[in-house]
Amino acid sequence: MRASFTFLVYGYNVLVIISFYMTDTKELWENTLVEVELNISKANFSTWFKNTHIVRIDDGKVVIGVPNQFVKDWLLTKYNKFLLKTLRGLSEDVRGVEYSIVKEERKRDRERKDVVQSVNELPLENLYINKNDNLNPKYTFETFIVGDFNQLAHAAAQVVTQKLGIVYNPLFIYGSTGHGKTHLIQAVGNYVKKVSQSKKVYYATSERFVVDYTTSVQDGKANTFKEKYRQYDVLIMDDIQFLSEKEKTQEELFHLFNALYDNNKQIIFSSDKHPNFIPGLEERLKSRFNAGMIADIPAPDSESRIAILKAKAAQNNFVISDEVIEYVASEVQGNIRELEGALNSLICQSQLKGKILSQNEVHSVIKNSTKLKKAISTKEVVQKISDFYEINEESIYEKTRKKEVVKPRQLIMYILREDFGISYPSIGERLGGRDHTTVIHSCEKIKKELKASNSLIQEVDQIRSLLH
């Protein structure tokens, strides 16, 4: 079989023509793959051309063996013209390309088992966590996806790594579940660990801190507890909101904070809400937290959701069309974990079925994998918001115009309408038999104030994090 190809020697600007005879189909396919690899991304090459080969050549028609229907459909749809052109460039005898699924039945059980195992490992990579610092090595700045929604928090975290204990001390990151707080604060620890091995870094959840403190008191080893936590150059504490109402532990944290701060040790906290809105948190701790840098990570916007999905797909060598990505991003508007869960479901279903999912199948998978809005009663909304503003729940239903009650009541109406789609008359009826025009006025008033008040925006975000 006669074939030829060209390449350019860039250093000398010389065009070289090489002609040779292919000794067998293996050599032809190997040279084809060289050309393919130069023209597509590494992820695409690994996903679609792994375990492929030329089965035979019949009267100029090249039959390419593929592992499953999934790969066959994709090559036929996306790469057929390119492969035909490449093969013709290597051999003038090639007239067409076909695809054949090779040994699919024998490999199916093993493939499904491998797929289930690999998909199960997608969210939780099998990486070793050093118990000396509790840092997860997968949480790095390199794997943290930056968008408009988290740009400020990301920039603050990077500044901290350059001037430990000097700038932004403490650093306080807050936001709802699944927005990337834990990833970001641990990225600081992993970076410090990487560039300065002499620095002692430690990550702990607030629950771990409580358990350590309680155990040390019970065992009469309070001094050992103090020495342990005061030795670190960087202390990272997650979910600080769980210290609410724990007076003794808060007192110990206050003294620990002062000891670290006075010695220019970096302190990093995370929470699901701004420290000022954590109920049952001592004022002196709130004051300490506010003295540093406080950055919010809100829910990702549409463009950021698309970027996250593309990055996650690439990390898992999964090729997904822009149309599907945009659909998933529009349907899954919650947190990053929900986005990852939806993508993982698509990967699993695609590989288990051994084919590209149709549009209807994609819709079905996303519908089943996405958590529907939590069914929540008006009473639960009233309770959560009343607790948030520390007012009597019953006052919401009363005919009072007290300022401390009016605002929470209006926010309840706004949330019931905007988040749960309850009609204006129904909201009025549920909140003490009020007229629907009163509800409309309240909702419009909150909408107007949200455009002018950053503090109200923060309050609404905190309320939503409690409800959803």
Side-chain angles (χ1 to χ4, degrees):
M1 182 180 293
R2 184 176 180 81
S4 67
F5 65 87
T6 65
F7 67 90
L8 186 64
V9 182
Y10 290 99
Y12 301 94
N13 235 13
V14 178
L15 187 65
V16 181
I17 305 294
I18 297 180
S19 297
F20 60 92
Y21 286 93
M22 291 293 180
T23 57
D24 54 26
T25 56
K26 181 179 179 182
E27 187 177 353
L28 174 60
W29 190 239
E30 285 177 350
N31 283 283
T32 300
L33 292 181
V34 169
E35 187 71 16
V36 171
E37 191 171 11
L38 290 172
N39 285 276
I40 67 175
S41 70
K42 183 178 179 181
N44 283 343
F45 183 80
S46 174
T47 301
W48 303 116
F49 291 92
K50 184 180 180 181
N51 299 326
T52 59
H53 61 283
I54 293 178
V55 177
R56 62 185 180 276
I57 300 177
D58 291 335
D59 193 24
K61 188 165 289 185
V62 178
V63 181
I64 300 172
V66 296
N68 55 51
Q69 186 68 38
F70 190 24
V71 175
K72 178 180 177 180
D73 291 345
W74 196 268
L75 293 183
L76 189 61
T77 304
K78 299 293 184 180
Y79 293 106
N80 191 62
K81 290 182 180 179
F82 176 63
L83 284 174
L84 180 58
K85 180 180 178 182
T86 302
L87 285 163
R88 281 177 174 171
L90 293 169
S91 173
E92 59 191 26
D93 299 327
V94 174
R95 295 189 302 106
V97 178
E98 288 185 355
Y99 304 93
S100 175
I101 301 170
V102 178
K103 298 178 181 178
E104 186 184 33
E105 293 302 321
R106 190 166 52 140
K107 293 165 61 180
R108 189 183 302 276
D109 290 341
R110 178 169 57 83
E111 284 180 352
R112 289 193 177 194
K113 190 178 296 183
D114 291 344
V115 167
V116 171
Q117 180 179 357
S118 65
V119 171
N120 284 339
E121 290 174 354
L122 287 177
L124 298 173
E125 299 176 21
N126 188 21
L127 296 171
Y128 174 72
I129 296 178
N130 189 330
K131 294 303 179 182
N132 290 326
D133 54 43
N134 291 332
L135 293 172
N136 190 325
K138 77 174 182 178
Y139 290 147
T140 65
F141 284 121
E142 289 74 20
T143 57
F144 187 81
I145 301 165
V146 183
D148 290 341
F149 75 108
N150 60 11
Q151 197 170 32
L152 174 62
H154 176 260
Q158 289 199 312
V159 169
V160 163
T161 64
Q162 304 305 313
K163 297 182 178 180
L164 287 174
I166 306 298
V167 178
Y168 300 160
N169 195 23
L171 173 63
F172 195 107
I173 305 293
Y174 75 97
S176 296
T177 299
H179 288 186
K181 303 186 301 295
T182 297
H183 187 148
L184 185 58
I185 61 178
Q186 287 205 37
V188 175
N190 278 314
Y191 180 87
V192 172
K193 210 171 124 181
K194 178 181 176 182
V195 300
S196 181
Q197 296 182 357
S198 63
K199 298 288 186 184
K200 289 185 177 181
V201 182
Y202 191 71
Y203 164 84
T205 62
S206 61
E207 295 99 319
R208 178 73 264 169
F209 185 75
V210 171
V211 170
D212 284 353
Y213 172 68
T214 304
T215 303
S216 70
V217 172
Q218 291 173 348
D219 295 344
K221 297 180 179 179
N223 287 335
T224 303
F225 169 84
K226 296 177 188 293
E227 291 170 2
K228 171 187 173 180
Y229 278 91
R230 296 184 186 193
Q231 67 174 311
Y232 300 113
D233 299 291
V234 181
L235 178 63
I236 304 168
M237 193 172 295
D238 213 347
D239 291 327
I240 201 75
Q241 72 272 8
F242 292 120
L243 294 185
S244 176
E245 307 296 345
K246 294 180 174 60
E247 295 180 4
K248 292 294 184 181
T249 308
Q250 286 188 40
E251 181 179 354
E252 191 59 41
L253 177 61
F254 175 76
H255 294 306
L256 170 62
F257 182 103
N258 290 339
L260 294 175
Y261 184 86
D262 291 343
N263 287 281
N264 293 326
K265 305 294 182 69
Q266 182 66 49
I267 315 161
I268 302 173
F269 296 106
S270 86
S271 171
D272 65 352
K273 55 179 69 71
H274 191 288
N276 288 348
F277 299 127
I278 299 176
L281 187 67
E282 291 184 2
E283 289 300 322
R284 57 181 179 175
L285 277 177
K286 291 181 181 180
S287 175
R288 294 296 189 278
F289 296 153
N290 278 283
M293 173 66 177
I294 299 178
D296 176 24
I297 303 183
D301 54 74
S302 178
E303 290 184 2
S304 296
R305 292 197 298 273
I306 290 173
I308 290 167
L309 287 168
K310 287 183 176 180
K312 296 296 180 183
Q315 287 172 13
N316 293 295
N317 291 328
F318 182 68
V319 179
I320 184 171
S321 69
D322 289 342
E323 292 79 8
V324 171
I325 283 180
E326 290 174 4
Y327 170 74
V328 176
S330 67
E331 290 296 309
V332 186
Q333 298 186 17
N335 59 51
I336 297 171
R337 288 192 195 127
E338 290 175 5
L339 281 175
E340 290 180 338
L343 179 63
N344 291 340
S345 295
L346 288 179
I347 294 173
C348 183
Q349 290 299 316
S350 295
Q351 294 183 343
L352 285 174
K353 292 182 178 181
K355 69 182 186 70
I356 302 169
L357 296 180
S358 68
Q359 197 72 11
N360 286 337
E361 287 174 320
V362 169
H363 290 181
S364 178
V365 170
I366 296 305
K367 181 180 179 180
N368 291 332
S369 65
T370 304
K371 287 194 305 184
L372 298 176
K373 281 184 178 179
K374 175 185 172 185
I376 189 168
S377 67
T378 301
K379 181 174 177 58
E380 287 177 278
V381 175
V382 171
Q383 178 191 343
K384 293 287 186 181
I385 295 180
S386 297
D387 289 346
F388 183 84
Y389 287 103
E390 298 181 345
I391 62 173
N392 190 323
E393 184 179 330
E394 295 302 317
S395 64
I396 296 296
Y397 302 92
E398 296 172 356
K399 304 291 185 179
T400 177
R401 296 296 301 170
K402 292 180 180 178
K403 184 178 179 180
E404 63 268 24
V405 175
V406 170
K407 178 184 174 182
R409 183 193 294 137
Q410 290 176 337
L411 278 169
I412 289 169
M413 293 177 178
Y414 173 81
I415 292 291
L416 289 173
R417 177 62 183 174
E418 294 297 316
D419 290 30
F420 301 97
I422 300 175
S423 67
Y424 293 123
S426 181
I427 294 172
E429 182 63 28
R430 296 182 190 192
L431 297 181
R434 287 174 168 78
D435 188 85
H436 73 280
T437 57
T438 301
V439 180
I440 294 173
H441 170 74
S442 297
C443 292
E444 292 301 318
K445 187 173 187 296
I446 295 297
K447 285 181 182 179
K448 183 178 179 180
E449 290 180 359
L450 282 170
K451 294 179 181 179
S453 173
N454 287 330
S455 62
L456 183 59
I457 291 173
Q458 289 181 351
E459 290 179 37
V460 172
D461 284 342
Q462 300 307 319
I463 290 168
R464 281 175 167 150
S465 70
L466 294 172
L467 294 172
H468 299 296

mmCIF file of all heavy atoms in Angstrom, residues 353-378:
data_model
loop_
_atom_site.group_PDB
_atom_site.id
_atom_site.type_symbol
_atom_site.label_atom_id
_atom_site.label_comp_id
_atom_site.label_asym_id
_atom_site.label_seq_id
_atom_site.Cartn_x
_atom_site.Cartn_y
_atom_site.Cartn_z
ATOM 1 N N LYS A 353 -24.520 3.027 28.836
ATOM 2 C CA LYS A 353 -25.301 2.713 27.635
ATOM 3 C C LYS A 353 -24.410 2.540 26.411
ATOM 4 O O LYS A 353 -24.861 2.053 25.375
ATOM 5 C CB LYS A 353 -26.337 3.814 27.384
ATOM 6 C CG LYS A 353 -27.441 3.850 28.446
ATOM 7 C CD LYS A 353 -28.480 4.918 28.138
ATOM 8 C CE LYS A 353 -29.589 4.894 29.181
ATOM 9 N NZ LYS A 353 -30.640 5.901 28.895
ATOM 10 N N GLY A 354 -23.150 2.974 26.536
ATOM 11 C CA GLY A 354 -22.204 2.814 25.439
ATOM 12 C C GLY A 354 -22.548 3.635 24.220
ATOM 13 O O GLY A 354 -22.300 3.225 23.087
ATOM 14 N N LYS A 355 -23.139 4.812 24.427
ATOM 15 C CA LYS A 355 -23.497 5.649 23.282
ATOM 16 C C LYS A 355 -23.694 7.094 23.729
ATOM 17 O O LYS A 355 -23.774 7.384 24.924
ATOM 18 C CB LYS A 355 -24.784 5.151 22.627
ATOM 19 C CG LYS A 355 -26.046 5.351 23.455
ATOM 20 C CD LYS A 355 -27.247 4.782 22.739
ATOM 21 C CE LYS A 355 -28.549 5.110 23.493
ATOM 22 N NZ LYS A 355 -28.891 6.533 23.415
ATOM 23 N N ILE A 356 -23.770 7.970 22.738
ATOM 24 C CA ILE A 356 -24.067 9.368 23.024
ATOM 25 C C ILE A 356 -25.533 9.475 23.416
ATOM 26 O O ILE A 356 -26.402 8.932 22.741
ATOM 27 C CB ILE A 356 -23.800 10.248 21.786
ATOM 28 C CG1 ILE A 356 -22.351 10.109 21.343
ATOM 29 C CG2 ILE A 356 -24.147 11.699 22.062
ATOM 30 C CD1 ILE A 356 -22.076 10.734 19.997
ATOM 31 N N LEU A 357 -25.816 10.159 24.497
ATOM 32 C CA LEU A 357 -27.194 10.308 24.937
ATOM 33 C C LEU A 357 -27.957 11.251 24.013
ATOM 34 O O LEU A 357 -27.426 12.272 23.573
ATOM 35 C CB LEU A 357 -27.244 10.860 26.367
ATOM 36 C CG LEU A 357 -26.642 9.990 27.473
ATOM 37 C CD1 LEU A 357 -26.787 10.698 28.816
ATOM 38 C CD2 LEU A 357 -27.283 8.617 27.537
ATOM 39 N N SER A 358 -29.182 10.900 23.715
ATOM 40 C CA SER A 358 -30.036 11.787 22.932
ATOM 41 C C SER A 358 -30.452 12.974 23.790
ATOM 42 O O SER A 358 -30.284 12.965 25.010
ATOM 43 C CB SER A 358 -31.278 11.032 22.457
ATOM 44 O OG SER A 358 -32.113 10.710 23.570
ATOM 45 N N GLN A 359 -31.027 13.973 23.138
ATOM 46 C CA GLN A 359 -31.468 15.155 23.872
ATOM 47 C C GLN A 359 -32.509 14.788 24.933
ATOM 48 O O GLN A 359 -32.468 15.280 26.058
ATOM 49 C CB GLN A 359 -32.056 16.179 22.896
ATOM 50 C CG GLN A 359 -32.182 17.592 23.473
ATOM 51 C CD GLN A 359 -30.827 18.257 23.630
ATOM 52 O OE1 GLN A 359 -29.831 17.769 23.127
ATOM 53 N NE2 GLN A 359 -30.790 19.360 24.363
ATOM 54 N N ASN A 360 -33.426 13.894 24.571
ATOM 55 C CA ASN A 360 -34.455 13.465 25.534
ATOM 56 C C ASN A 360 -33.835 12.720 26.711
ATOM 57 O O ASN A 360 -34.270 12.872 27.854
ATOM 58 C CB ASN A 360 -35.485 12.573 24.841
ATOM 59 C CG ASN A 360 -36.420 13.372 23.948
ATOM 60 O OD1 ASN A 360 -36.601 14.570 24.134
ATOM 61 N ND2 ASN A 360 -37.007 12.703 22.960
ATOM 62 N N GLU A 361 -32.810 11.892 26.428
ATOM 63 C CA GLU A 361 -32.139 11.149 27.495
ATOM 64 C C GLU A 361 -31.393 12.098 28.423
ATOM 65 O O GLU A 361 -31.379 11.907 29.650
ATOM 66 C CB GLU A 361 -31.181 10.119 26.895
ATOM 67 C CG GLU A 361 -31.885 8.929 26.265
ATOM 68 C CD GLU A 361 -30.930 8.002 25.546
ATOM 69 O OE1 GLU A 361 -29.992 8.503 24.876
ATOM 70 O OE2 GLU A 361 -31.118 6.782 25.637
ATOM 71 N N VAL A 362 -30.764 13.116 27.851
ATOM 72 C CA VAL A 362 -30.071 14.120 28.668
ATOM 73 C C VAL A 362 -31.065 14.812 29.584
ATOM 74 O O VAL A 362 -30.825 14.970 30.781
ATOM 75 C CB VAL A 362 -29.352 15.158 27.774
ATOM 76 C CG1 VAL A 362 -28.868 16.336 28.622
ATOM 77 C CG2 VAL A 362 -28.175 14.526 27.053
ATOM 78 N N HIS A 363 -32.203 15.202 29.037
ATOM 79 C CA HIS A 363 -33.234 15.877 29.836
ATOM 80 C C HIS A 363 -33.703 14.986 30.976
ATOM 81 O O HIS A 363 -33.904 15.447 32.101
ATOM 82 C CB HIS A 363 -34.424 16.252 28.948
ATOM 83 C CG HIS A 363 -34.114 17.351 27.983
ATOM 84 N ND1 HIS A 363 -35.041 17.861 27.096
ATOM 85 C CD2 HIS A 363 -32.970 18.040 27.746
ATOM 86 C CE1 HIS A 363 -34.486 18.810 26.370
ATOM 87 N NE2 HIS A 363 -33.233 18.931 26.742
ATOM 88 N N SER A 364 -33.877 13.699 30.677
ATOM 89 C CA SER A 364 -34.343 12.756 31.690
ATOM 90 C C SER A 364 -33.320 12.584 32.803
ATOM 91 O O SER A 364 -33.667 12.577 33.986
ATOM 92 C CB SER A 364 -34.635 11.404 31.041
ATOM 93 O OG SER A 364 -35.037 10.465 32.006
ATOM 94 N N VAL A 365 -32.041 12.462 32.420
ATOM 95 C CA VAL A 365 -30.978 12.288 33.418
ATOM 96 C C VAL A 365 -30.892 13.503 34.337
ATOM 97 O O VAL A 365 -30.798 13.375 35.553
ATOM 98 C CB VAL A 365 -29.612 12.046 32.734
ATOM 99 C CG1 VAL A 365 -28.480 12.104 33.761
ATOM 100 C CG2 VAL A 365 -29.603 10.686 32.041
ATOM 101 N N ILE A 366 -30.919 14.684 33.747
ATOM 102 C CA ILE A 366 -30.798 15.914 34.532
ATOM 103 C C ILE A 366 -32.003 16.081 35.460
ATOM 104 O O ILE A 366 -31.864 16.467 36.619
ATOM 105 C CB ILE A 366 -30.656 17.144 33.616
ATOM 106 C CG1 ILE A 366 -29.356 17.055 32.813
ATOM 107 C CG2 ILE A 366 -30.675 18.425 34.442
ATOM 108 C CD1 ILE A 366 -28.121 16.891 33.650
ATOM 109 N N LYS A 367 -33.176 15.747 34.962
ATOM 110 C CA LYS A 367 -34.389 15.861 35.775
ATOM 111 C C LYS A 367 -34.305 14.955 36.991
ATOM 112 O O LYS A 367 -34.686 15.332 38.105
ATOM 113 C CB LYS A 367 -35.612 15.508 34.941
ATOM 114 C CG LYS A 367 -36.923 15.623 35.724
ATOM 115 C CD LYS A 367 -38.101 15.258 34.838
ATOM 116 C CE LYS A 367 -39.413 15.339 35.633
ATOM 117 N NZ LYS A 367 -40.588 14.978 34.798
ATOM 118 N N ASN A 368 -33.780 13.745 36.784
ATOM 119 C CA ASN A 368 -33.707 12.784 37.881
ATOM 120 C C ASN A 368 -32.571 13.076 38.852
ATOM 121 O O ASN A 368 -32.646 12.733 40.030
ATOM 122 C CB ASN A 368 -33.528 11.366 37.324
ATOM 123 C CG ASN A 368 -34.773 10.879 36.616
ATOM 124 O OD1 ASN A 368 -35.880 11.289 36.933
ATOM 125 N ND2 ASN A 368 -34.594 10.027 35.623
ATOM 126 N N SER A 369 -31.483 13.687 38.350
ATOM 127 C CA SER A 369 -30.317 13.906 39.216
ATOM 128 C C SER A 369 -30.376 15.233 39.961
ATOM 129 O O SER A 369 -29.686 15.427 40.952
ATOM 130 C CB SER A 369 -29.026 13.867 38.387
ATOM 131 O OG SER A 369 -28.990 14.949 37.470
ATOM 132 N N THR A 370 -31.201 16.147 39.479
ATOM 133 C CA THR A 370 -31.297 17.463 40.107
ATOM 134 C C THR A 370 -32.324 17.434 41.220
ATOM 135 O O THR A 370 -33.443 16.979 41.023
ATOM 136 C CB THR A 370 -31.715 18.530 39.072
ATOM 137 O OG1 THR A 370 -30.790 18.503 37.998
ATOM 138 C CG2 THR A 370 -31.718 19.918 39.709
ATOM 139 N N LYS A 371 -31.932 17.921 42.362
ATOM 140 C CA LYS A 371 -32.887 17.992 43.472
ATOM 141 C C LYS A 371 -33.978 19.002 43.140
ATOM 142 O O LYS A 371 -33.700 20.150 42.801
ATOM 143 C CB LYS A 371 -32.184 18.421 44.757
ATOM 144 C CG LYS A 371 -31.315 17.355 45.369
ATOM 145 C CD LYS A 371 -30.920 17.697 46.779
ATOM 146 C CE LYS A 371 -30.266 19.024 46.904
ATOM 147 N NZ LYS A 371 -29.806 19.324 48.256
ATOM 148 N N LEU A 372 -35.235 18.554 43.228
ATOM 149 C CA LEU A 372 -36.339 19.474 43.029
ATOM 150 C C LEU A 372 -36.430 20.404 44.236
ATOM 151 O O LEU A 372 -35.923 20.099 45.310
ATOM 152 C CB LEU A 372 -37.640 18.693 42.864
ATOM 153 C CG LEU A 372 -37.694 17.757 41.639
ATOM 154 C CD1 LEU A 372 -39.003 16.971 41.662
ATOM 155 C CD2 LEU A 372 -37.560 18.528 40.361
ATOM 156 N N LYS A 373 -37.086 21.518 44.032
ATOM 157 C CA LYS A 373 -37.226 22.460 45.147
ATOM 158 C C LYS A 373 -37.862 21.772 46.342
ATOM 159 O O LYS A 373 -38.844 21.055 46.220
ATOM 160 C CB LYS A 373 -38.100 23.645 44.729
ATOM 161 C CG LYS A 373 -37.352 24.661 43.900
ATOM 162 C CD LYS A 373 -38.215 25.856 43.603
ATOM 163 C CE LYS A 373 -37.453 26.889 42.817
ATOM 164 N NZ LYS A 373 -38.268 28.058 42.486
ATOM 165 N N LYS A 374 -37.245 21.979 47.446
ATOM 166 C CA LYS A 374 -37.720 21.333 48.667
ATOM 167 C C LYS A 374 -39.144 21.793 48.981
ATOM 168 O O LYS A 374 -39.460 22.976 48.960
ATOM 169 C CB LYS A 374 -36.779 21.738 49.800
ATOM 170 C CG LYS A 374 -37.208 21.234 51.164
ATOM 171 C CD LYS A 374 -36.266 21.806 52.208
ATOM 172 C CE LYS A 374 -36.750 21.493 53.604
ATOM 173 N NZ LYS A 374 -35.918 22.151 54.615
ATOM 174 N N ALA A 375 -39.979 20.812 49.207
ATOM 175 C CA ALA A 375 -41.341 21.137 49.616
ATOM 176 C C ALA A 375 -41.279 21.711 51.025
ATOM 177 O O ALA A 375 -40.841 21.055 51.953
ATOM 178 C CB ALA A 375 -42.211 19.886 49.595
ATOM 179 N N ILE A 376 -41.678 22.949 51.153
ATOM 180 C CA ILE A 376 -41.531 23.616 52.438
ATOM 181 C C ILE A 376 -42.833 24.330 52.773
ATOM 182 O O ILE A 376 -43.489 24.904 51.899
ATOM 183 C CB ILE A 376 -40.345 24.607 52.404
ATOM 184 C CG1 ILE A 376 -40.051 25.142 53.803
ATOM 185 C CG2 ILE A 376 -40.564 25.713 51.413
ATOM 186 C CD1 ILE A 376 -38.730 25.892 53.873
ATOM 187 N N SER A 377 -43.224 24.285 53.992
ATOM 188 C CA SER A 377 -44.481 24.904 54.401
ATOM 189 C C SER A 377 -44.252 26.366 54.756
ATOM 190 O O SER A 377 -43.134 26.791 55.052
ATOM 191 C CB SER A 377 -45.055 24.168 55.612
ATOM 192 O OG SER A 377 -44.223 24.359 56.742
ATOM 193 N N THR A 378 -45.337 27.127 54.709
ATOM 194 C CA THR A 378 -45.256 28.533 55.104
ATOM 195 C C THR A 378 -44.774 28.650 56.535
ATOM 196 O O THR A 378 -43.981 29.544 56.873
ATOM 197 C CB THR A 378 -46.641 29.194 54.959
ATOM 198 O OG1 THR A 378 -47.076 29.094 53.607
ATOM 199 C CG2 THR A 378 -46.591 30.666 55.372
#
